[in-house]
Amino acid sequence: MYQNELLDNLISKNSILNKDDENNSDNEYEENENEIFVEAQNGEENELLVLSENPITFEPISSLTNVFFDRDNQQTFCVRSNGVGGVIVKGPKPELNLSFRMEDKGNVTTIKFSPSLNILAIRRRDKNVIDFLNFKNGQPVFPEYSQSFKAKNTKSQECYWLDSSEILLVSEQGFEHYQIFAEKRALKLIKFFSMSLNWLIWSREAQVFVVSTGTYGSILNPFVYSKGSLKI
């Protein structure tokens, strides 16, 4: 809950909320089958939440299908049989939906595209690496290539796309900033930040991430991203 409150403060409310007309004095909202309006008091402001008329539908989780959500790109991934049975990607823009297959190299635990949808990052269980797969015209270009974590024997691992050619690899021992050269299928380490992390949250909209350190998680360190660098 605490992490979510911090993230909410980093993102402009206008990205998900539409302000009510200030001239509407009676503060009454109508409800129909496509829209739900929720009144919220925020000082003297009234706000409303509008649900999409085109919801994203996806397969339920099963013994053969895993479902993932990438918050940054607002995409759902339905991964069948670790990819060999197909991967279906859906988002708010139907023209960017994708369907493809990839090799079964183990249980997928994280899957997300770069902002330009030209590189797919995949984390698989019990592996100390992030795998990458280039895409062209909406289809994978094999083979995959990988980048191992500098921190070894970590229990928690994650990755976050900073932009279409830079990525952050995160573990409880720190985070690693890489530049990706897709055509060469290679990564270059820009900087390794060694520190004991409790958690990390990233906002692509604000270009800021916050890490929690310290025994009780009481130390918060904000970092601002700009092309090629991270600054406190």
Side-chain angles (χ1 to χ4, degrees), residues 123 127-129 149 151 154-159 170-172:
R123 182 170 67 92
K127 291 188 177 181
N128 195 49
V129 303
F149 283 79
T154 58
K155 297 180 180 179
S156 176
Q157 298 174 343
E158 190 52 271
C159 64
V170 181
S171 72
E172 68 267 27

Side-chain angles (χ1 to χ4, degrees), residues 33 78 119 132 135 169 184 199 225 230:
E33 62 181 3
C78 289
I119 309 175
F132 297 93
F135 272 70
L169 273 57
K184 297 180 179 179
W199 47 260
Y225 167 72
L230 298 171

Side-chain angles (χ1 to χ4, degrees), residues 58 70 105 121 145 197 220:
F58 51 88
D70 175 16
K105 294 186 176 180
Y145 51 104
L197 302 185
L220 301 180

Side-chain angles (χ1 to χ4, degrees), residues 28-90:
E28 293 181 355
Y29 304 99
E30 298 179 354
E31 179 178 345
N32 60 40
E33 62 181 3
N34 293 324
E35 297 178 340
I36 296 178
F37 298 90
V38 181
E39 181 177 359
Q41 295 295 333
N42 183 11
E44 297 181 354
E45 296 183 357
N46 293 321
E47 298 172 339
L48 57 87
L49 178 68
V50 182
L51 300 185
S52 171
E53 295 182 356
N54 300 304
I56 299 172
T57 59
F58 51 88
E59 298 178 30
I61 296 174
S62 68
S63 59
L64 296 177
T65 302
N66 287 320
V67 179
F68 304 89
F69 178 68
D70 175 16
R71 182 188 170 280
D72 287 329
N73 288 335
Q74 299 292 296
Q75 291 178 316
T76 60
F77 291 76
C78 289
V79 182
R80 301 170 181 156
S81 302
N82 296 319
V84 72
V87 179
I88 298 176
V89 185
K90 292 185 177 181

Side-chain angles (χ1 to χ4, degrees), residues 78-139:
C78 289
V79 182
R80 301 170 181 156
S81 302
N82 296 319
V84 72
V87 179
I88 298 176
V89 185
K90 292 185 177 181
K93 298 180 179 180
E95 66 273 16
L96 298 179
N97 292 349
L98 300 173
S99 178
F100 58 91
R101 297 178 187 273
M102 60 185 190
E103 299 176 15
D104 183 357
K105 294 186 176 180
N107 294 330
V108 175
T109 55
T110 295
I111 184 169
K112 56 184 69 175
F113 271 110
S114 61
S116 60
L117 308 182
N118 67 324
I119 309 175
L120 182 67
I122 312 156
R123 182 170 67 92
R124 294 178 167 100
R125 186 176 300 166
D126 300 328
K127 291 188 177 181
N128 195 49
V129 303
I130 299 293
D131 297 318
F132 297 93
L133 182 58
N134 292 343
F135 272 70
K136 184 176 181 180
N137 298 324
Q139 290 300 308

